[in-house]
Amino acid sequence: MASLSFDTQLEYRNSIHFLMRAVSALFLALLLVSCGGGSSSSGTLISASVNSLSFSGYEGVNSVPQSVTVNLPNMPGTLSASASAGWLKLNKVDSARYEVSVSGIGVMAGSYSANASFTYTTAEGVSSTASIPVTYTVGTGLFKPQDVNVTMNLTGTSAALAGGQTIYFTGNAQTVTWSANSSQSWLTLTSTSGVTPSQVTFAIDINKAALLANFEDHNATVTISAPGYTPVGFNVVLSKRLPEITAITPSPITAGQASGIQVSGKGFSQLGNPAAAINMQGLTATSATVINDQQVDMQLTANNPGNYLFNIPNALGIGTSTAQLKVQ
């Protein structure tokens, strides 16, 4: 048999090489069609050790990583990974294992979803991708303080109306610079900024609170803000309960005669000694009894005719409604 020329031998070898590559590619294609895996895959030459991942945490906090192993074929190739969201982090540990984590830095409170994708590319250029859905629930980083109730009453002082709440970071000792504001002018903030953990403090503006309706509850909201975090707030509820007089009956009464009168109003249950607590403009009650929160019965003798103003002073010096007793 005649020997083949050099060019013919070279052409023959190239044909064999091409045929082997074609067979190899066909084999890989058949694998991609026939193989299966636990995760969502584009061509299932590879699969991941988990079907999905779930994380929860707080704004500004990085999570504890979870491990994912990629099941690789027994053939040469390279493995790469990508994340579909910036908060999703993929760190390669070894040739087939990744640590998956999430970062709450710059992520506001809410629910998020993304995909972690792992792609294996063979030496022949055939690629297969396994994708894992990842969910992430983010809570507020700043802790929401409890609401505060303060009461204006007969004996309360301005110091008793002041208070504060500690602002701190949820879940760990991370420091955050915060600022605060009040929604109502009668609630003044005596500290308006700080670094967690620290207090926001408040006081009641007595002059402005004096203008508020008595025997009603008044609400102000303190809002705490920090760059990159969801604002939180708490309410300060001011219950204005200053004893007041609205009417005196009967009126008029006769001068120089002992008379019984009924004083009407609100907040009388705060009066330990009503004869001393009620200012009667020089008159003196021989007896005074609190019947209920809205009624005091008195016995007195007014020697001189005139109009006598009844009122109930309080420790804050805030004026309340008054009534007049006429003596003739």
Side-chain angles (χ1 to χ4, degrees):
M1 181 176 180
S3 61
L4 299 175
S5 68
F6 175 78
D7 291 340
T8 301
Q9 293 181 42
L10 181 61
E11 183 178 351
Y12 177 76
R13 290 174 181 172
N14 289 340
S15 298
I16 294 297
H17 180 68
F18 175 79
L19 181 60
M20 292 177 64
R21 289 178 59 88
V23 171
S24 177
L26 178 60
F27 174 72
L28 291 173
L30 291 173
L31 280 176
L32 292 176
V33 173
S34 62
C35 296
S39 55
S40 173
S41 303
S42 173
T44 51
L45 183 61
I46 64 171
S47 62
S49 59
V50 296
N51 290 325
S52 62
L53 291 173
S54 178
F55 293 87
S56 62
Y58 301 99
E59 296 170 332
V61 178
N62 295 326
S63 73
V64 176
Q66 298 186 43
S67 181
V68 174
T69 299
V70 182
N71 303 313
L72 302 177
N74 188 21
M75 59 182 66
T78 57
L79 179 64
S80 60
S82 62
S84 63
W87 49 262
L88 181 58
K89 309 297 180 182
L90 307 177
N91 179 43
K92 194 171 186 179
V93 179
D94 55 37
S95 60
R97 188 164 62 91
Y98 279 81
E99 284 189 341
V100 181
S101 62
V102 294
S103 173
I105 297 174
V107 180
M108 305 298 279
S111 297
Y112 301 87
S113 61
N115 287 309
S117 298
F118 305 93
T119 300
Y120 190 74
T121 304
T122 69
E124 287 74 21
V126 178
S127 296
S128 176
T129 299
S131 292
I132 301 173
V134 180
T135 58
Y136 183 25
T137 302
V138 184
T140 55
L142 292 171
F143 182 79
K144 183 186 183 307
Q146 292 184 339
D147 294 342
V148 178
N149 292 277
V150 293
T151 301
M152 274 185 165
N153 56 26
L154 179 69
T155 59
T157 63
S158 58
L161 299 174
Q165 289 284 54
T166 300
I167 308 303
Y168 60 92
F169 197 82
T170 305
N172 66 10
Q174 183 167 337
T175 58
V176 175
T177 299
W178 56 267
S179 60
N181 64 78
S182 167
S183 65
Q184 299 294 333
S185 60
W186 54 262
L187 182 70
T188 61
L189 301 183
T190 50
S191 65
T192 57
S193 62
V195 177
T196 57
S198 56
Q199 274 208 330
V200 55
T201 53
F202 61 83
I204 304 300
D205 187 314
I206 301 303
N207 292 329
K208 292 180 179 178
L211 304 176
L212 300 175
N214 201 12
F215 285 88
E216 290 187 14
D217 294 337
H218 305 276
N219 185 80
T221 300
V222 178
T223 301
I224 311 298
S225 304
Y229 296 87
T230 301
V232 296
F234 66 95
N235 295 319
V236 176
V237 180
L238 173 63
S239 298
K240 190 173 179 182
R241 301 290 187 270
L242 298 175
E244 62 183 15
I245 296 172
T246 56
I248 300 173
T249 55
S251 180
I253 61 173
T254 303
Q257 293 183 4
S259 302
I261 61 172
Q262 178 180 300
V263 180
S264 301
K266 293 181 180 180
F268 294 161
S269 59
Q270 300 178 43
L271 308 181
N273 181 355
I278 298 175
N279 183 346
M280 296 176 282
Q281 206 171 6
L283 296 180
T284 301
T286 55
S287 68
T289 304
V290 175
I291 304 303
N292 54 48
D293 193 62
Q294 299 180 9
Q295 179 181 336
V296 170
D297 287 350
M298 284 186 171
Q299 293 290 327
L300 55 77
T301 299
N303 294 318
N304 300 313
N307 296 321
Y308 295 86
L309 191 67
F310 281 44
N311 72 301
I312 304 175
N314 53 73
L316 293 170
I318 294 177
T320 58
S321 65
T322 61
Q324 194 174 77
L325 175 65
K326 186 173 182 180
V327 180
Q328 60 185 20

